[in-house]
Amino acid sequence: MSDPVGARAGIVVTGTEVLTGRVADRNGPFLADRLLELGVELGHITLCGDRPADIEAQLRFLAGQGVDLIITSGGLGPTADDMTVETVARFCGRDLVLDAGLETTIGDIVTGLMARFPEVDREAVIAANRKQALVPAGAVILDPVGTAPGVIVPGTPTVVVLPGPPRELQPMWNAAIATDAVQAAIAGRTRYEQQTVRMFGLPESGLADTLRDAERSVAGFDRLEITTCLRRGELEIVTRYEPQDAAIYSELVAVLRDRHPREIFSEDGSLVDDQVAALLAGRRIATAESCTAGLLAARLTERSGSSAYVAGGVVAYANAAKTELLGVDAALIEQHGAVSEPVAESMAASALRRFGADTAVAITGVAGPSGGSEAKPVGTVCFAVALADGASVTRTTQLPGNRSDVRERSTTVAMHLLRRALGGER
């Protein structure tokens, strides 16, 4: 795709706790996705601590890159180290002024919060929060979601100042983009379409080879902006294009379908978790896990929004636990080993009976870091899916990575086996 000519933006994530890795940054990725949806080119995401000089340096850097919009996150609290608004005011050449209406709003919010803490000095807290009512002269004020308001300072570039907590930043962003100031700053944006294809069971090298072929065979391929990502063992192919290039994208998808019909499981961006949740509607599932510590049951429950279709689960590491809790024959374990397809099948069948379910999935494997053998090295995992109608799917696979990687990828494999079994594939 050609170099961007429309509206451009930069993001400054502030916070020493984020800079040092104590807190993972969720705001940068969220804002990047929202800008992408708007058709605004994101030039840079920068990260700095709470030092005013460092924040201002990031602002000056982005302004020097010619961006139309700068978005900051963090540093809007009442404490002395929250200096983002003051720094932005100085950068924009604006005085800080006390907004009386905002002071009242913050006071009312704080008073409500303090009702739960009767021993705290209310006046001292309100005085500390009065700092949050100081805004750059002429700024557009964004109503607080917590206690911190956001501000928008129109100019070249326009600066949007948002709070750090994602639960406050995300709804405030929606309010920010609706303002005339932000709409004016991104007026030159390009309208894009964005589509996501998801694959499972294909290495990145295989996809790379297919895309190289598509580059040669699809006319106008260079009009597509394609980003690929390996996520939890799945390949995510995100393609962005201008609306008039929809036919080119359709040709690309035709190439992917032709080369990888079995590996594509989603052309609309839907996640395997959502697909499995839909397939489990009206059903009851049980899990039997060894090496994944209940992660599959948790993943199923989280996506369903409740435990309505998760009838129950057993986590059994020790062989004795497999026998006592799931009724797996000790002789079967002795003959084939705990990490084996026969034991996985027995675990699934037992979970089906124990919880009165119509669907069951079992996982048993060697997650590491020790315990593997030459025949069954670390990363060897056996899976079994059993349905009440007698249908079943059993697989053994070798998964790469450390203990955490193996456990996470195991749940992904299990979800795809469930999808195939419930969808009638084998």
Side-chain angles (χ1 to χ4, degrees):
M1 182 171 285
S2 58
D3 291 336
V5 295
R8 301 185 70 233
I11 298 170
V12 182
V13 178
T14 73
T16 302
E17 71 283 1
V18 181
L19 180 65
T20 57
R22 296 198 307 274
V23 174
D25 173 35
R26 292 167 54 194
N27 294 332
F30 170 82
L31 292 169
D33 283 344
R34 302 294 80 74
L35 290 168
L36 189 66
E37 292 168 355
L38 288 170
V40 177
E41 291 289 343
L42 176 61
H44 302 271
I45 299 180
T46 70
L47 181 63
C48 67
D50 293 307
R51 295 174 292 275
D54 292 339
I55 297 172
E56 188 165 354
Q58 308 309 309
L59 296 171
R60 295 197 180 282
F61 165 74
L62 292 174
Q65 299 300 304
V67 300
D68 304 285
L69 182 70
I70 297 175
I71 308 161
T72 74
S73 74
L76 305 190
T79 58
D81 62 332
D82 292 311
M83 301 291 291
T84 302
V85 171
E86 180 180 336
T87 304
V88 167
R90 184 168 56 252
F91 167 74
C92 295
R94 308 284 185 106
D95 292 330
L96 278 179
V97 296
L98 181 66
D99 186 287
L102 185 57
E103 182 179 16
T104 299
T105 297
I106 294 172
D108 291 341
I109 293 171
V110 172
T111 297
L113 293 174
M114 287 304 99
R116 294 179 293 171
F117 307 98
E119 296 181 0
V120 175
D121 186 339
R122 174 179 174 277
E123 292 303 320
V125 172
I126 290 177
N129 281 271
R130 187 172 296 126
K131 170 177 174 286
Q132 295 175 292
L134 292 169
V135 298
V140 178
I141 296 171
L142 300 170
D143 291 337
V145 176
T147 63
V151 297
I152 302 171
V153 185
T156 307
T158 291
V159 183
V160 178
V161 183
L162 301 175
R167 68 181 180 278
E168 298 180 24
L169 177 141
Q170 293 179 12
M172 195 176 287
W173 167 250
N174 294 329
I177 61 172
T179 63
D180 292 340
V182 172
Q183 287 296 312
I186 63 174
R189 69 188 186 276
T190 302
R191 301 288 182 177
Y192 289 104
E193 299 287 342
Q194 180 172 297
Q195 302 291 341
T196 301
V197 173
R198 301 184 191 278
M199 296 184 178
F200 179 73
L202 179 71
E204 286 184 282
S205 57
L207 176 60
D209 184 57
T210 297
L211 291 177
R212 281 192 294 270
D213 287 347
E215 187 174 8
R216 292 189 291 267
S217 63
V218 175
F221 182 88
D222 61 343
R223 300 283 301 164
L224 306 177
E225 183 180 303
I226 302 171
T227 304
T228 63
C229 178
L230 182 63
R231 199 187 304 271
R232 292 203 299 191
E234 298 172 347
L235 280 173
E236 178 184 89
I237 306 101
V238 179
T239 306
R240 191 170 65 143
Y241 54 88
E242 295 183 36
Q244 65 267 25
D245 296 323
I248 302 173
Y249 176 71
S250 295
E251 288 188 47
L252 169 65
V253 173
V255 171
L256 295 175
R257 287 191 195 120
D258 181 62
R259 292 282 293 270
H260 310 291
R262 181 171 173 79
E263 289 78 14
I264 293 176
F265 70 89
S266 171
E267 292 185 15
D268 61 2
S270 60
L271 301 170
V272 67
D273 301 60
D274 296 317
Q275 294 177 358
V276 168
L279 290 167
L280 282 170
R283 305 181 70 97
R284 286 166 55 84
I285 187 170
T287 61
E289 301 179 65
S290 176
C291 89
T292 47
L295 292 176
L296 178 62
R299 187 166 170 178
L300 287 164
T301 303
E302 177 182 6
R303 189 55 72 180
S304 71
S306 70
S307 58
Y309 61 63
V310 181
V314 172
V315 176
Y317 276 91
N319 292 344
K322 292 181 177 68
T323 299
E324 294 172 12
L325 299 176
L326 288 168
V328 178
D329 190 341
L332 188 71
I333 298 175
E334 178 67 25
Q335 179 181 359
H336 298 282
V339 180
S340 63
E341 291 188 1
V343 169
E345 290 170 342
S346 179
M347 290 169 63
S350 297
L352 203 66
R353 294 190 301 270
R354 180 182 178 91
F355 294 103
D358 51 50
T359 307
V361 58
I363 306 173
T364 179
V366 185
S370 60
S373 65
E374 184 176 349
K376 298 175 183 178
V378 172
T380 303
V381 185
C382 301
F383 304 85
V385 175
L387 305 184
D389 63 7
S392 64
V393 179
T394 306
R395 294 285 187 278
T396 298
T397 188
Q398 182 70 40
L399 299 173
N402 57 27
R403 180 192 295 273
S404 177
D405 294 331
V406 171
R407 291 168 67 177
E408 185 175 58
R409 287 172 183 259
S410 292
T411 65
T412 297
V413 172
M415 293 296 279
H416 281 279
L417 290 177
L418 274 171
R419 174 182 60 83
R420 289 173 177 170
L422 294 170
E425 299 179 43
R426 295 293 182 269

